[in-house]
Amino acid sequence: VPCDGSYCRPLVAISLALSPLWLWFYFSEQFGIDIFSSYVGYVISAITLTMGLVVMRYAPGGDGPMDFYMVVPLTLFSFAIAATWLDSIADKLVQLLGLFGILLRIPATVMGLTVLAFGNSLQDLVANVSLSKKGLSTMATTACLAGPIFNLCVGLGFGFWALMKSTGKEEIHVELPNNIATGFYFTIANCALIVFAGRVVGKGVIGRGYGYVACGLYVVYVVTSLYV
């Protein structure tokens, strides 16, 4: 909704007011939870409706920025809603890729290493490249490392929690396929390469050469994963 310091006030208000309907659909589809079966859904609806009315009545229109006390809760709530959208879309994307893999007789490993990996990382690539072009290379590098760490820690943590909740099991038996083990090894190798390029070779600066070596390392990883 916001763009270059401006926003559409009616669209923000309507999005806030109707967001409980999306949350109801999301939790019903993903977890089988009806938020309107208890007071929780109605409390959320009352809060978001009030926020929508406040935005519609008191928020500045046109190019005027919102006050800080209004921006913070709106940003946090919007982030949570965006996360549910991404989770739902990612779930449908995985199902769609599985269908394409079956129809085209492409192994699931190949689909995961190529199409799914590229699609999952493309938005991060665009964002990090944009940051680098604006002189925020340190932030872009940090985001490259922080994103996978978040996925591994929070993604796996919530994933196993949801799996145990849906199956009723207290523990989940996990096997480590060769292609995933290969990914771990190459991740460790890339981290060591970053430290070596930045601390030893570049003396605190990661040069252009690391980018070429990292791209070559990724090609080796993909080929290795397909043949192990």
Side-chain angles (χ1 to χ4, degrees):
V1 175
C3 181
D4 295 333
S6 62
Y7 62 94
C8 179
R9 182 172 58 185
L11 186 57
V12 173
I14 293 174
S15 299
L16 283 170
L18 298 181
S19 59
L21 296 178
W22 162 251
L23 291 176
W24 168 78
F25 172 78
Y26 171 77
F27 280 102
S28 298
E29 183 188 41
Q30 296 290 334
F31 306 104
I33 300 175
D34 184 4
I35 62 174
F36 287 104
S37 62
S38 64
Y39 66 90
V40 175
Y42 298 101
V43 171
I44 295 176
S45 299
I47 293 175
T48 55
L49 181 59
T50 303
M51 292 175 63
L53 293 175
V54 170
V55 168
M56 195 64 187
R57 175 62 180 84
Y58 296 104
D63 296 331
M66 285 189 183
D67 293 332
F68 181 76
Y69 71 91
M70 296 181 63
V71 171
V72 172
L74 282 177
T75 302
L76 295 176
F77 183 73
S78 300
F79 176 80
I81 294 295
T84 60
W85 272 98
L86 290 175
D87 180 57
S88 181
I89 293 174
D91 184 60
K92 300 301 184 294
L93 178 61
V94 171
Q95 295 177 9
L96 188 60
L97 289 177
L99 175 62
F100 285 154
I102 294 174
L103 295 177
L104 300 177
R105 298 183 180 180
I106 300 176
T109 302
V110 178
M111 295 290 291
L113 286 172
T114 55
V115 179
L116 183 59
F118 297 158
N120 189 42
S121 304
L122 187 60
Q123 58 183 357
D124 294 334
L125 174 64
V126 173
N128 293 333
V129 170
S130 300
L131 289 173
S132 299
K133 290 181 177 180
K134 293 180 179 180
L136 302 174
S137 57
T138 302
M139 183 183 298
T141 304
T142 305
C144 290
L145 298 175
I149 292 175
F150 179 84
N151 289 334
L152 289 173
C153 296
V154 180
L156 284 178
F158 276 102
F160 276 110
W161 172 80
L163 179 61
M164 289 188 292
K165 183 176 178 60
S166 62
T167 58
K169 296 181 179 179
E170 294 295 331
E171 59 182 23
I172 304 295
H173 178 69
V174 177
E175 295 182 358
L176 192 63
N178 292 332
N179 59 329
I180 296 181
T182 302
F184 285 148
Y185 298 145
F186 274 88
T187 300
I188 295 173
N190 184 52
C191 292
L193 180 63
I194 293 176
V195 174
F196 180 77
R199 302 292 297 179
V200 179
V201 178
K203 303 300 182 181
V205 177
I206 299 178
R208 185 187 299 270
Y210 162 76
Y212 297 124
V213 176
C215 291
L217 185 66
Y218 177 75
V219 173
V220 175
Y221 156 68
V222 173
V223 174
T224 304
S225 298
L226 293 177
Y227 285 97
V228 294

